[in-house]
DNA sequence: ACCACAACCTGGCCGC
DNA sequence: TGCGGCCAGGTTGTGG
């Protein structure tokens, strides 16, 4: 579910309640969510540490801890990070509950149990192979052609490859390709210079819009306070099969590209 | 490098 | 109402 804009919205919402707090306890309802180290070492290493900062990298959330380690969380498909009071009704899918020193809790809610948490000395152990941050100031339109060079596969699976670029998922890949008027199955090495330029700006525009709208909620996504996003009201092709293309009126089509459901306008996207 | 496919999981929806 | 099949915003590993 959560892609860069959703994870960014969560990170922003977690800063105020978490920075300066200390973890006082951990309750584990599904051990496989703890990717590393072992559950016992994870709990022992975490409890007692103060949270110094919260940031996002790609689709990961990173919590800098007072002992120098980093707590890293990936929400995968259905993960949520919610701030609750300790007395609040627990949800059956709250599989990790981080107790805080102010009577509140950080709850990792995760219906499909696919999310993962890590406690590591060096965040590169988890995120070292991620591609560039598409919204960084130092990622410019001049960098994008070089990033694409040598890539011969289809453009959509490439956008979804986190080692190519960090943070893009299925929704924003389709939206960016529509905005750039590029067919999702185009081979990366057939894109013209102007298409590459359009794609660069389209990626940044759709991600920035997603953040402005506080993320896209179809079913699962909620921010740290449990609120839905509203970017679903602004999507132009994603999950809009049969509805008219906002540019030309042709019905939007759905196909499968690289194993993922893919929405596009067959007339605008060549 | 690239591609297809399976695995990890549960819940919602659809058709029968 | 029940049941099987399919689908889902992500990632990783395997085999070709």
């Amino acid at each position: 579910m959560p892609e860069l804009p959703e994870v960014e919205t969560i990170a922003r919402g977690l800063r105020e309640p978490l920075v300066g707090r200390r973890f006082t306890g951990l309750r584990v309802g599904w051990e496989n969510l703890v990717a590393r180290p072992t559950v016992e070492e994870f709990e022992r290493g975490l409890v007692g540490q103060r949270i110094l900062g919260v940031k996002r990298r790609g689709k990961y959330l990173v919590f800098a801890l007072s002992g120098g380690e980093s707590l890293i969380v990936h929400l995968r498909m259905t993960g949520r990070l919610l701030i609750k009071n300790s007395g609040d009704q627990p949800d059956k899918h709250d599989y990790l509950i981080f107790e805080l020193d102010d009577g509140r809790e950080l709850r990792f809610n995760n219906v499909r149990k696919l999310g993962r948490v890590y406690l590591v000395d060096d965040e590169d152990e988890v995120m070292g192979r991620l591609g560039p941050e598409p919204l960084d100031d130092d990622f410019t339109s001049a960098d994008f052609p070089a990033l694409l060079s040598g890539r011969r596969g289809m453009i959509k699976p490439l956008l979804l490859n986190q080692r190519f670029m960090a943070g893009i998922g299925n929704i924003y890949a389709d939206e960016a390709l529509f905005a750039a008027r590029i067919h999702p199955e185009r081979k990366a090495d057939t894109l013209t210079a102007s298409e590459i330029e359009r794609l660069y700006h389209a990626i940044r525009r759709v991600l920035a819009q997603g953040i402005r709208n506080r993320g896209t909620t179809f079913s699962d996504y909620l921010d740290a306070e449990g609120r839905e996003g509203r970017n679903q009201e602004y999507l132009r092709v994603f999950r809009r099969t049969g509805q008219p293309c906002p540019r030309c009126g042709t019905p939007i089509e759905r196909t499968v590209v690289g194993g993922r459901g893919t929405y596009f306008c067959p007339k605008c996207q060549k």
Side-chain angles (χ1 to χ4, degrees):
Chain A
M1 110 169 98
E3 308 181 27
L4 186 155
E6 291 74 37
V7 179
E8 178 64 28
T9 303
I10 291 169
R12 292 178 183 184
L14 288 175
R15 244 165 237 143
E16 187 278 323
L18 287 187
V19 173
R21 298 275 63 76
R22 191 182 295 278
F23 288 118
T24 54
L26 177 72
R27 306 205 296 280
V28 179
W30 186 258
E31 299 203 344
N32 288 350
L33 296 190
V34 180
R36 108 172 63 137
T38 66
V39 175
E40 293 72 26
E41 291 169 321
F42 181 85
E43 176 174 2
R44 205 177 324 126
L46 191 78
V47 172
Q49 295 217 51
R50 197 173 287 284
I51 302 160
L52 303 181
V54 181
K55 69 171 183 179
R56 177 197 59 75
R57 169 84 171 99
K59 302 174 192 172
Y60 292 88
L61 284 149
V62 184
F63 304 83
L65 303 176
S66 48
E69 292 183 300
S70 295
L71 167 65
I72 301 179
V73 178
H74 198 299
L75 303 167
R76 298 273 180 100
M77 294 286 271
T78 57
R80 300 167 173 164
L81 279 175
L82 299 162
I83 297 290
K84 301 278 187 176
N85 294 316
S86 55
D88 289 349
Q89 180 74 27
D91 182 272
K92 66 184 283 201
H93 304 298
D94 288 341
Y95 292 121
L96 290 179
I97 299 179
F98 300 81
E99 299 168 350
L100 301 166
D101 61 357
D102 63 351
R104 295 208 273 186
E105 295 173 346
L106 173 66
R107 297 186 184 173
F108 191 10
N109 181 284
N110 214 312
V111 168
R112 285 174 65 185
K113 299 177 173 172
L114 297 176
R116 292 291 180 266
V117 300
Y118 310 79
L119 183 64
V120 292
D121 291 319
D122 177 358
E123 61 190 41
D124 281 350
E125 292 173 47
V126 177
M127 309 188 297
R129 304 213 281 199
L130 288 179
E133 279 293 322
L135 293 179
D136 262 9
D137 289 340
D138 55 10
F139 178 66
T140 70
S141 63
D143 300 320
F144 197 42
L147 197 64
L148 279 163
S149 83
R151 312 307 297 242
R152 288 172 292 109
M154 293 183 289
I155 188 62
K156 175 167 176 182
L158 189 58
L159 294 180
L160 295 177
N161 179 348
Q162 301 300 297
R163 294 185 202 177
F164 172 74
M165 180 170 284
I168 299 175
N170 209 30
I171 297 175
Y172 297 95
D174 282 0
E175 292 295 312
L177 289 167
F178 173 79
R181 309 198 300 279
I182 295 169
H183 192 284
E185 294 178 290
R186 281 282 297 284
K187 301 284 188 178
D189 60 1
T190 69
L191 297 178
T192 66
S194 68
E195 286 174 329
I196 292 171
E197 175 83 9
R198 290 208 303 267
L199 183 56
Y200 169 84
H201 292 290
I203 288 167
R204 303 207 355 147
R205 208 157 51 236
V206 300
L207 293 174
Q209 177 199 278
I211 294 171
R212 266 201 315 281
N213 291 323
R214 306 186 52 81
T216 300
T217 298
F218 278 114
S219 53
D220 296 303
Y221 170 69
L222 299 175
D223 71 13
E225 294 174 78
R227 292 178 303 205
E228 297 185 352
R230 50 189 162 78
N231 197 238
Q232 61 280 7
E233 299 164 29
Y234 300 86
L235 300 179
R236 298 200 281 172
V237 289
F238 190 80
R239 291 208 186 169
R240 296 179 65 85
T241 310
Q243 298 182 48
C245 166
R247 187 184 289 116
C248 77
T250 301
I252 298 301
E253 291 185 7
R254 179 188 189 276
T255 180
V256 175
V257 179
R260 311 295 303 278
T262 297
Y263 304 84
F264 69 105
C265 171
K267 187 171 174 193
C268 294
Q269 293 174 259
K270 295 303 185 189

